[in-house]
Amino acid sequence: SNINPKYINVYIGGRVYNPGNLSINKSSVLSEAIDISGGAKFLKGQVSFIRYNNDGTIDKRKFGLKRNVSRGSYENPFLKNGDVIFVGRSSLNITTEIINEITAPFQSLFTTYGFYKLVVDQ
């Protein structure tokens, strides 16, 4: 029964609604795994696909997520046990994170000043 299992385990992370380990049908493709994990979030970047081959090499691919890609193609491969899929962040996500990191100290300063002003004015 373990020689030819019905299900395989893959990991999916990044900008999907339910990241983590998935147990999926062995004939599944990358786009189906993303759908099973709840789908990709609206603001998403490129998809990274990583497969560790039996000969010790690593197959790494990066591409945009497209809906009309044929099953088994380079951008929608049939999955194997242990494959890793990561849906990346868009440039807008990255820009927002940078702005939040830069302005975070000022936000706490203004919040403290606002509280002080509220107490003093009463």
Side-chain angles (χ1 to χ4, degrees):
S1 65
N2 277 345
I3 295 173
N4 194 11
K6 186 175 182 179
Y7 298 101
I8 58 171
N9 294 311
V10 297
Y11 178 82
I12 185 161
R15 297 215 26 98
V16 293
Y17 287 100
N18 298 308
N21 289 315
L22 290 177
S23 181
I24 57 175
N25 190 302
K26 69 179 180 179
S27 63
S28 297
V29 291
L30 184 137
S31 62
E32 293 169 345
I34 291 173
D35 289 341
I36 291 169
S37 69
K41 293 184 179 179
F42 181 69
L43 294 174
K44 61 188 172 302
Q46 289 192 320
V47 173
S48 296
F49 171 76
I50 302 170
R51 174 177 289 158
Y52 298 98
N53 297 316
N54 291 337
D55 62 0
T57 60
I58 299 173
D59 180 5
K60 291 173 81 175
R61 307 176 194 181
K62 258 190 173 178
F63 44 82
L65 184 61
K66 300 173 192 147
R67 285 284 154 210
N68 297 331
V69 179
S70 61
R71 291 173 57 85
S73 67
Y74 180 81
E75 294 180 353
N76 196 16
F78 286 102
L79 298 175
K80 293 184 179 179
N81 198 44
D83 285 349
V84 177
I85 303 164
F86 186 81
V87 180
R89 299 174 301 188
S90 71
S91 56
L92 182 60
N93 296 121
I94 295 167
T95 303
T96 302
E97 285 180 21
I98 291 170
I99 291 171
N100 285 339
E101 284 185 31
I102 292 170
T103 60
F106 300 111
Q107 289 173 351
S108 63
L109 181 66
F110 287 123
T111 304
T112 305
Y113 176 74
F115 178 73
Y116 171 78
K117 197 76 168 134
L118 179 69
V119 172
V120 171
D121 286 345
Q122 300 246 349

